[in-house]
Amino acid sequence: MLSKAVLSQTDVSKMLAAARSEAEKNHWAVTISVVDDGGHPLALERLDGCAPIAAYIASEKARSAAIGRRETKGYEDMVNGGRSAFLSAPLLTSLEGGVPVIVDGQVIGAVGVSGVKADQDAQVAKAGVAALS
């Protein structure tokens, strides 16, 4: 039988706080979503001034990173590189800003961010993931 870490609510709170801090430091109005390894929601925070659609997009970025076991930037790069057939994959977003949480080589969840430029979304998500280091 295999064992792996599981995100606790303390972990989720640390990730949200770190991601929020990164966004606020840069004056970015974003939504931050944290999910478990199956892409199921654990937390969502929409900062003041962020468009409502970002809540949906951030959640899908997080879910795609968790179940795809990789950053969503890889999917965006595939599509932008001409592999348009990938748009029919069961992941719901191919947009940068979803980052998996990896512990001991196992994906245990993900952080998704939406609301600013793609690389800025990813910067905020990575700050959230880094809070567990």
Side-chain angles (χ1 to χ4, degrees):
M1 181 175 294
L2 300 176
S3 297
K4 71 176 178 180
V6 176
L7 290 171
S8 69
Q9 277 302 307
T10 300
D11 298 328
V12 171
S13 294
K14 284 181 190 176
M15 289 190 297
L16 274 177
R20 181 185 331 104
S21 177
E22 182 69 18
E24 289 174 341
K25 175 179 81 175
N26 290 288
H27 306 287
W28 294 334
V30 298
T31 296
I32 305 154
S33 175
V34 180
V35 300
D36 67 12
D37 61 333
H40 306 288
L42 296 173
L44 180 104
E45 185 170 356
R46 192 172 96 205
L47 302 183
D48 291 343
C50 186
I53 188 68
Y56 176 80
I57 295 169
S59 297
E60 292 306 319
K61 286 179 180 185
R63 189 176 81 77
S64 294
I67 64 174
R69 308 292 194 246
R70 67 173 72 183
E71 287 191 37
T72 55
K73 181 180 183 346
Y75 302 127
E76 183 174 359
D77 290 346
M78 273 192 258
V79 173
N80 289 343
R83 191 164 181 218
S84 58
F86 189 77
L87 291 171
S88 65
L91 303 173
L92 293 183
T93 187
S94 297
L95 302 172
E96 183 176 4
V99 179
V101 178
I102 302 171
V103 174
D104 295 329
Q106 298 289 319
V107 173
I108 64 167
V111 177
V113 176
S114 181
V116 286
K117 294 178 182 177
D119 62 319
Q120 296 168 335
D121 287 343
Q123 180 179 329
V124 173
K126 289 176 183 178
V129 171
L132 294 185
S133 300

